[in-house]
Amino acid sequence: MVHAFAVYRDAMREAWGDWWLAWPLLQKVGVGDVLHDSRGSVRAAGTLADRRIAFDATAPEARGAFLHDAGGGIDVRFKASGATDPLFTALVDADAGVLLRFARQRAALVAYRGLAGSGLTDTPALARALVRRYWEGRWEAGLLAVTEVVRADAAAVLVAAEAGASAELRLATSVGAGPLQLLDLAGSARLAGSRHLGFQWIGEALTPLFRVVRLRGTWLGGVREEYGPLQPGRGLDAEPVPPLLLEQAADDPAAVLETPPQLVDETETETEPETGTAPQPAQDAS
């Protein structure tokens, strides 16, 4: 059985490296969100504002579009409105559409339009704030702070369940006056028919990518070695945060914060239906 997230992750990795991937795709993530990570099982844990940590974020900056087509492992055939093509069985002549045929099992088509990114403006200030909260017993080692997000206006993600999978999609007639392109599938396509398709999601307004930081493991170990184990409530009254720790956070936030890899609890990533959660039917009667 193909693990849909693993295929999607591989499709995104070359272009986006260590960025975290929202899964399910409708997961809401924003700059300043706090997550709790327990061995790859990530849950929402409020926001920095909930913990009285102030921050500023940059205005959204356009980042273009992203398209992954399995390195040529997908055969693509477009159909213009009014054209007749015997390979299309779910569309009528009046429909514009595309037929995708996946040659390999671990193949995915990923298309994102209207990407825009924003992030925190002051990393040293965040590092100092997390040091304070940790010293006071109000920030756990397993907590993550979201520092950057990339949003998309529209998306199309399709993953083959096995070699030979296919999908037939109907495109809106208002896609554009020029030739049809794979990016036109993002947001504007509707699945008309499919065979051996393991996962599909086509929709709008989502946040597929984000970055997180946490307190660096080696820094935590050094603090415990130098100052002893963390005591609940420490620092609230008689024991202020050691100035050395705050100076280190201000001068070298990378010594205090780290960007962990995204670990995946594979018992939880397949909870989404294989046809996704976009508000559209899995099959159309054409």
Side-chain angles (χ1 to χ4, degrees):
M1 174 178 166
V2 169
H3 195 277
F5 177 78
V7 178
Y8 172 66
R9 178 187 57 205
D10 291 346
M12 298 289 286
R13 182 170 288 164
E14 182 176 349
W16 295 97
D18 62 356
W19 283 80
W20 281 43
L21 307 176
W23 195 267
L25 293 176
L26 280 177
Q27 178 186 1
K28 299 296 184 183
V29 184
V31 174
D33 282 357
V34 176
L35 308 173
H36 184 270
D37 183 13
S38 177
R39 298 181 181 180
S41 178
V42 179
R43 297 287 183 270
T47 66
L48 293 177
D50 296 338
R51 291 165 169 77
R52 298 182 181 179
I53 299 175
F55 66 91
D56 292 318
T58 61
E61 180 180 355
R63 300 192 62 156
F66 172 77
L67 176 65
H68 171 88
D69 64 354
I74 302 176
D75 179 63
V76 182
R77 189 179 185 92
F78 289 103
K79 175 186 172 304
S81 177
T84 300
D85 189 326
L87 293 180
F88 287 80
T89 60
L91 301 184
V92 298
D93 290 352
D95 292 326
V98 61
L99 173 63
L100 306 174
R101 290 180 289 189
F102 297 80
R104 299 191 297 270
Q105 182 182 45
R106 294 182 61 85
L109 173 74
V110 183
Y112 286 116
R113 287 193 294 107
L115 293 174
S118 61
L120 292 178
T121 59
D122 194 341
T123 302
L126 175 64
R128 291 195 303 272
L130 296 190
V131 167
R132 288 183 183 278
R133 296 303 184 273
Y134 175 75
W135 183 263
E136 296 165 357
R138 294 188 287 168
W139 186 271
E140 303 170 30
L143 291 179
L144 310 169
V146 178
T147 58
E148 194 172 357
V149 300
V150 172
R151 296 184 174 86
D153 289 340
V157 177
L158 298 99
V159 175
E162 59 183 74
S166 63
E168 202 167 325
L169 300 106
R170 181 181 296 108
L171 290 169
T173 56
S174 58
V175 163
L180 296 175
Q181 304 178 51
L182 281 176
L183 275 175
D184 293 329
L185 299 181
S188 63
R190 293 294 180 268
L191 188 68
S194 66
R195 180 174 179 270
H196 304 312
L197 196 63
F199 175 87
Q200 70 89 9
W201 197 96
I202 300 171
E204 300 176 341
L206 67 160
T207 309
L209 296 144
F210 60 100
R211 288 188 185 275
V212 299
V213 295
R214 69 183 177 194
L215 291 173
R216 186 176 291 277
T218 53
W219 181 86
L220 290 169
V223 171
R224 286 191 291 266
E225 182 177 347
E226 181 70 22
Y227 301 99
L230 181 68
Q231 300 296 325
R234 180 173 67 177
L236 291 177
D237 297 313
E239 197 173 352
V241 184
L244 182 62
L245 297 182
L246 295 175
E247 291 171 9
Q248 184 182 33
D251 296 340
D252 188 10
V256 175
L257 303 177
E258 64 181 352
T259 300
Q262 184 176 19
L263 302 177
V264 180
D265 183 347
E266 298 198 357
T267 64
E268 299 186 7
T269 55
E270 290 300 320
T271 57
E272 200 171 358
E274 69 171 10
T275 52
T277 55
Q280 61 182 69
Q283 299 279 346
D284 286 349
S286 302

